[in-house]
Amino acid sequence: MPIPICSPKNIFVSPSPSGLNSRFHLPLSYRYPTVAVTQSPFRFRASDSSRSSSSSLKFAAMENGGSPCLFPFHRCKTIHLVRHAQGTHNVEGDKNYKAYMSPEYFDANLTQLGWQQVDNLRRHVLESGLLKKVELVVTSPLLRTMQTAVGVFGGGDYTDRMDILPLMVANAGNSERAAISSLNCPPILAVELCREHLGIHPCDKRRSVSEYQCLFPAVDFSLIESDEDALWKVDVRETKEELAARGMNFLIWLLSRKEKEIAVVTHSGFLYHTLAAFGNDCHPLVKREISKHFANCELRSLIIVDRR
């Protein structure tokens, strides 16, 4: 049954109080007040250890015309959004957009730099304790996103066992990487709703599910209805409006899940057009935190609230 499209007015997205924002392995740029359910219209830099006096904060809030937001906890989820690490298509595509049209980049895999970015982000989620908090990892079913998902949130090196499947087999997608274990990590679920802009670009066309199952045996593909890619069209590009509507349906689906803390590994275009619908009633700095473009393998933590 298709999920009805919901207006952004019924869903609230805010930077997460946990402050778990990471671009590769860099230290946290900002830390948010932990006493509020959602981000207030002003923010603190990590270097402001002394912080302003309470009177200064009151004036800042008044000046920005903002006030704190409160929501029932059971209506809130923490989502950790991750753009995939650098893919082979990004190397030339970042220089010349027309390169994305090349059949050479069909279902692009990660570059060696991309795998270094994955290693850096994995260290961050381990050291921050985030890996232990995440209950579910949702990934777009393309090679580069699944490589990123299992590399960042997977169980580490795989020891061959008859009773345990690996998340990723050795050298999957020409990765030159050892197999990755499915032990001691959250389940990873492939979902078509969070795919990149559909159509025309070969890098955004997926392989068959049966082929992916051989490469990623412990990834759950049960929600994908067709073995072959029935969504990607060679001559029709999904519009920005259609992509944004799909992104809204994806957020509604996330809200329907029982898990309270979910990581999502997806794509730049999907993230940008989905998040652009939010933050219009916030201070411009908060709006920018929510909707600015993601770098490769950047993680951004947000609170999503069901206001229906």
Side-chain angles (χ1 to χ4, degrees):
M1 179 179 179
I3 304 173
I5 296 175
C6 179
S7 164
K9 294 180 180 178
N10 296 324
I11 299 177
F12 185 85
V13 171
S14 170
S16 168
S18 63
L20 288 168
N21 294 306
S22 173
R23 180 173 177 176
F24 314 138
H25 67 299
L26 299 180
L28 307 187
S29 300
Y30 299 98
R31 297 187 184 276
Y32 302 98
T34 57
V35 295
V37 176
T38 56
Q39 168 74 28
S40 67
F42 46 84
R43 64 183 181 180
F44 305 108
R45 292 183 182 272
S47 59
D48 297 337
S49 56
S50 60
R51 297 189 178 178
S52 304
S53 66
S54 59
S55 59
S56 297
L57 293 179
K58 290 176 183 177
F59 284 129
M62 291 171 61
E63 181 180 336
N64 292 325
S67 59
C69 298
L70 293 175
F71 295 97
F73 183 72
H74 71 276
R75 291 186 174 274
C76 305
K77 291 182 189 287
T78 301
I79 55 174
H80 305 284
L81 302 176
V82 180
R83 180 191 174 192
H84 64 79
Q86 185 192 64
T88 54
H89 66 308
N90 293 136
V91 177
E92 292 302 320
D94 287 349
K95 304 173 189 175
N96 178 9
Y97 186 77
K98 291 182 179 179
Y100 289 124
M101 297 289 292
S102 173
E104 169 186 359
Y105 300 123
F106 163 66
D107 192 20
N109 57 285
L110 296 187
T111 64
Q112 288 307 304
L113 174 58
W115 278 108
Q116 292 173 27
Q117 294 167 350
V118 166
D119 291 340
N120 290 336
L121 185 55
R122 179 170 177 79
R123 278 195 293 271
H124 172 75
V125 300
L126 285 170
E127 292 170 2
S128 67
L130 176 59
L131 187 60
K132 294 182 179 179
K133 296 179 181 179
V134 170
E135 301 167 70
L136 174 70
V137 177
V138 176
T139 180
S140 162
L142 273 80
L143 188 56
R144 59 190 181 271
T145 41
M146 290 190 288
Q147 286 179 322
T148 302
V150 301
V152 172
F153 297 102
D157 293 337
Y158 175 71
T159 302
D160 199 7
R161 289 175 51 175
M162 293 294 292
D163 58 332
I164 300 293
L165 291 173
L167 274 174
M168 186 181 83
V169 300
N171 197 36
N174 300 315
S175 64
E176 300 181 8
R177 288 278 171 140
I180 296 175
S181 174
S182 59
L183 288 174
N184 303 314
C185 67
I188 299 181
L189 178 64
V191 175
E192 300 242 66
L193 273 176
C194 62
R195 284 179 60 175
E196 184 57 299
H197 226 138
L198 294 167
I200 296 183
H201 294 177
C203 57
D204 300 328
K205 179 177 171 60
R206 70 165 171 84
R207 302 164 198 259
S208 67
V209 170
S210 53
E211 186 174 353
Y212 284 143
Q213 287 173 326
C214 295
L215 301 175
F216 303 95
V219 170
D220 184 351
F221 295 96
S222 62
L223 294 184
I224 298 181
E225 296 180 356
S226 61
D227 186 52
E228 298 296 332
D229 190 352
L231 300 177
W232 186 91
K233 306 298 182 185
V234 69
D235 56 351
V236 178
R237 184 78 167 160
E238 186 179 30
T239 68
K240 294 176 182 178
E241 292 75 18
E242 289 169 337
L243 176 54
R246 175 160 60 86
M248 190 63 60
N249 285 346
F250 175 71
L251 293 179
I252 295 169
W253 176 79
L254 284 181
L255 283 170
S256 75
R257 301 283 310 185
K258 64 179 181 180
E259 297 87 0
K260 298 293 289 183
E261 196 144 350
I262 301 173
V264 178
V265 183
T266 180
H267 307 265
S268 174
F270 176 82
L271 288 165
Y272 180 77
H273 292 293
T274 298
L275 297 176
F278 296 95
N280 295 317
D281 54 350
C282 299
H283 187 278
L285 289 176
V286 178
K287 167 71 174 176
R288 185 172 186 278
E289 287 176 357
I290 293 172
S291 59
K292 65 182 178 181
H293 280 285
F294 278 64
N296 283 121
C297 218
E298 179 182 355
L299 180 153
R300 201 175 300 169
S301 299
L302 301 171
I303 296 292
I304 180 171
V305 181
D306 184 357
R307 302 198 295 189
R308 291 172 295 176

